[in-house]
């Protein structure tokens, strides 16, 4: 799903309320000493989504409402326990990228548990998932979030204070959910919808 991060004065972007890529109308709070309509001189800026008519409120170039940050919407198939941490991380990302990275690492830990692992040691969980046939691209994505989030707790060489670094972690977590949960669910649904005769032939071919 295409995502355009909200940015002050930009239009369109992905609305943090409805998730649609929609045009935004902008206006600023007017007070004495500022020129009415001159958004560049007003520190408080407000956009209105043309899709859902809801507002975002900005102070200078940072969005303060809604307090969901500028992270992409979580994958619809993301488990509730993981989604809760994802949204918490998104809400603090602009204020503390390091804190957001640490929360995303914890989200990965919970995701591993949702995938049938113990959820205690992420490294061991990823190793077990690889042994079960985890795709290489997903293993790499898991390790990126694991290592980066760990560096947020135990600082090393990765700059987890960089919002751009943390922004990529949100994308990766959505990719992991897409590969491990959403895609298998869609394929299973399509496969089970095949004619019974075709399914029987496939089973015979596979010796099952």
């Amino acid at each position: 799903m295409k995502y355009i991060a909200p940015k002050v004065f930009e239009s369109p972007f992905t609305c943090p309320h409805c998730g649609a890529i929609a045009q935004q109308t902008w206006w600023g709070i007017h007070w004495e000493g500022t020129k009415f309509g001159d958004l560049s001189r007003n520190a408080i800026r407000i956009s209105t989504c043309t899709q859902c008519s809801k507002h975002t409120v900005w102070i200078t170039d940072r969005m303060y409402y809604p307090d969901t940050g500028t992270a992409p919407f979580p994958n619809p198939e993301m488990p509730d326990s993981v989604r809760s941490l994802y949204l918490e991380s998104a809400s603090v990302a602009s204020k503390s990228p390091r804190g957001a990275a640490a929360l995303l690492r914890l989200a990965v830990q919970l995701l591993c548990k949702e995938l049938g692992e113990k959820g205690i040691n992420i490294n061991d969980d990823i190793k077990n998932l690889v042994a079960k046939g985890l795709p290489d691209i997903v293993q790499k994505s898991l390790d990126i979030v694991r290592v980066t989030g760990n560096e947020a707790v135990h600082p090393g060489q990765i700059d987890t204070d960089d919002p751009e670094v943390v922004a990529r972690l949100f994308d990766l977590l959505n990719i992991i959910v897409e590969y491990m949960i959403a895609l298998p669910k869609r394929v299973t649904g399509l496969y089970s919808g095949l004619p019974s005769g075709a399914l029987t032939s496939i089973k015979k071919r596979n010796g099952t």
Side-chain angles (χ1 to χ4, degrees):
M1 180 183 296
K2 186 177 180 182
Y3 174 77
I4 302 176
K7 188 176 181 181
V8 70
F9 298 150
E10 290 295 314
S11 182
F13 59 62
T14 300
C15 174
H17 293 286
C18 67
I21 296 178
Q23 295 291 331
Q24 306 289 319
T25 56
W26 288 92
W27 55 286
I29 301 297
H30 171 67
W31 60 86
E32 187 177 357
T34 63
K35 181 180 178 182
F36 184 76
D38 185 358
L39 290 177
S40 65
R41 297 181 61 188
N42 292 341
I44 300 178
R45 292 85 185 252
I46 299 172
S47 73
T48 303
C49 173
T50 57
Q51 184 75 18
C52 68
S53 299
K54 292 184 178 179
H55 309 296
T56 62
V57 180
W58 305 65
I59 297 178
T60 310
D61 59 355
R62 179 177 293 181
M63 185 173 70
Y64 280 82
Y65 175 81
D67 190 20
T68 55
T70 57
F73 268 48
N75 190 299
E77 298 297 335
M78 188 176 290
D80 289 342
S81 61
V82 181
R83 179 192 300 270
S84 177
L85 282 171
Y86 182 101
L87 294 175
E88 183 180 353
S89 177
S91 72
V92 303
S94 63
K95 308 173 188 71
S96 174
R98 187 180 297 275
L103 286 168
L104 288 175
R105 182 184 186 277
L106 182 56
V108 164
Q109 188 170 340
L110 288 180
L111 181 58
C112 287
K113 189 173 182 179
E114 293 282 349
L115 296 174
E117 299 305 320
K118 294 180 179 179
I120 298 174
N121 184 302
I122 302 179
N123 209 35
D124 288 344
D125 288 346
I126 295 174
K127 179 181 178 180
N128 292 336
L129 288 170
V130 168
K132 295 176 183 177
L134 185 74
D136 181 65
I137 190 67
V138 180
Q139 172 262 306
K140 289 177 179 176
S141 299
L142 283 167
D143 277 323
I144 291 169
V145 182
R146 174 184 66 83
V147 172
T148 307
N150 189 60
E151 291 299 317
V153 182
H154 306 286
Q157 295 182 345
I158 299 174
D159 184 9
T160 49
D161 282 328
D162 184 350
E164 292 298 321
V165 171
V166 177
R168 290 192 288 271
L169 299 185
F170 288 107
D171 287 331
L172 288 174
L173 191 55
N174 276 322
I175 288 171
I176 294 164
V177 172
E178 180 66 22
Y179 268 88
M180 297 304 295
I181 299 177
L183 185 58
K185 186 175 180 179
R186 288 201 298 272
V187 172
T188 298
L190 291 170
Y191 184 82
S192 63
L194 291 175
S196 57
L199 291 172
T200 300
S201 297
I202 292 170
K203 288 180 180 179
K204 288 182 178 178
R205 181 201 65 194
N206 294 343
T208 58

